[in-house]
Every structure is written in structure tokens, then in C-alpha cells.
């Protein structure tokens, strides 16, 4: 075995080792993504059940109908200027004069929490 063969064998072993390390890293990332997706699905299921429970209570105790629900849903959908089934929230004015995303915990300029009029903006 000459020097070139030794070098090639070294390179082959190194490449295989790098490949195993990358495959391990990809596998870990896939597990992490799968865990996050499963957590989001579970949270969404709980949110749908909670919403359904609140709706059934309103229907049973306050006499609300599907028409009431659909009318309110359309009203909320249109608050951002578009009836598109999405709830876009424009930034709010901070006391310091900056515009702050409603989902932000604090203003990036002054550190104060944004003032929101709607509790659902925190979600
Ligand atoms: Zn501010």
C-alpha cells in the first residue's frame, strides 16, 4: 500500500464518519420537528374542544343559534378589512410612539408591554 492509498483510505473513513454524524443530526431534527408538530396538534385539539364547549354552553343557556355564531364570525373576520378567514392584527401604538406587534411581549424600543384592547391578541 503506497502513500496515496493510505491517504484515500483516511479520506474514505473520514467521509463515512461525517456522513454518520450528518445522518444522526438529521434524525434528531426530524424527531424534534415531529414532537413540535404533535404538540401543536394536541394544543389545537384542546383549543377546538374548549371553543366547542363554550359554544354549546352559549347555545344551551343563552339561546344563541348558528346564525348568531356565523354572523359574529363574519364580523370578526372583517375587522382587519378583509373577509378572508384570517385574523390579521395590525400593530398597536406604544406609549413611546413606536408601533408594536400585538403578539410582542414588550416594545423593542422602551421595554413596556404593548397595550392591547383584546385579550385574544395575546394568543
Ligand atoms: Zn415603546
Amino acid at each position: 500500500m503506497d502513500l496515496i492509498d493510505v491517504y484515500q483510505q483516511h479520506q474514505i473513513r473520514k467521509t463515512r464518519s461525517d456522513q454518520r454524524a450528518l445522518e444522526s443530526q438529521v434524525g434528531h431534527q426530524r424527531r424534534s420537528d415531529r414532537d413540535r408538530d404533535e404538540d401543536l396538534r394536541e394544543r389545537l385539539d384542546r383549543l377546538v374542544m374548549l371553543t366547542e364547549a363554550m359554544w354549546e354552553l352559549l347555545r344551551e343557556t343563552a339561546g344563541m343559534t348558528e346564525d348568531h355564531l356565523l354572523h359574529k364570525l363574519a364580523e370578526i373576520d372583517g375587522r382587519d378589512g378583509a373577509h378572508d378567514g384570517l385574523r390579521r392584527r395590525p400593530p398597536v401604538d406604544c406609549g413611546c410612539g413606536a408601533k408594536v406587534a400585538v403578539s410582542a411581549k414588550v416594545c423593542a424600543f422602551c421595554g413596556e408591554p404593548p397595550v392591547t384592547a383584546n385579550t385574544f391578541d395575546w394568543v
Side-chain angles (χ1 to χ4, degrees):
M1 184 179 284
D2 61 20
L3 192 56
I4 289 179
D5 289 338
V6 171
Y7 178 74
Q8 283 180 332
Q9 289 301 318
H10 168 75
Q11 287 299 100
I12 290 169
R13 279 194 297 275
K14 183 179 180 319
T15 301
R16 286 181 179 153
S17 175
D18 290 349
Q19 181 182 5
R20 282 191 297 273
L22 284 173
E23 286 171 352
S24 174
Q25 193 175 5
V26 168
H28 177 73
Q29 185 62 44
R30 283 185 183 151
R31 282 189 296 279
S32 175
D33 290 348
R34 219 175 12 246
D35 290 348
R36 188 196 65 229
D37 289 352
E38 187 174 326
D39 180 55
L40 286 173
R41 272 195 297 273
E42 287 174 2
R43 292 178 66 197
L44 180 60
D45 282 349
R46 286 194 302 271
L47 182 61
V48 169
M49 282 195 302
L50 178 63
T51 304
E52 193 172 359
M54 289 192 297
W55 166 241
E56 287 184 10
L57 284 171
L58 278 172
R59 194 177 58 208
E60 292 164 8
T61 62
M64 296 283 145
T65 65
E66 286 291 317
D67 285 342
H68 290 118
L69 180 64
L70 294 174
H71 179 77
K72 180 54 81 175
L73 189 60
E75 176 194 321
I76 292 171
D77 184 20
R79 285 180 187 164
D80 62 3
H83 290 271
D84 55 5
L86 300 173
R87 188 174 183 270
R88 294 191 178 90
R89 298 164 289 181
V92 295
D93 292 321
C94 180
C96 74
K99 296 278 188 190
V100 181
V102 293
S103 59
K105 299 270 188 252
V106 295
C107 171
F109 295 95
C110 69
E112 292 293 318
V115 177
T116 58
N118 189 331
T119 307
F120 285 94
D121 287 341
W122 295 342
V123 177

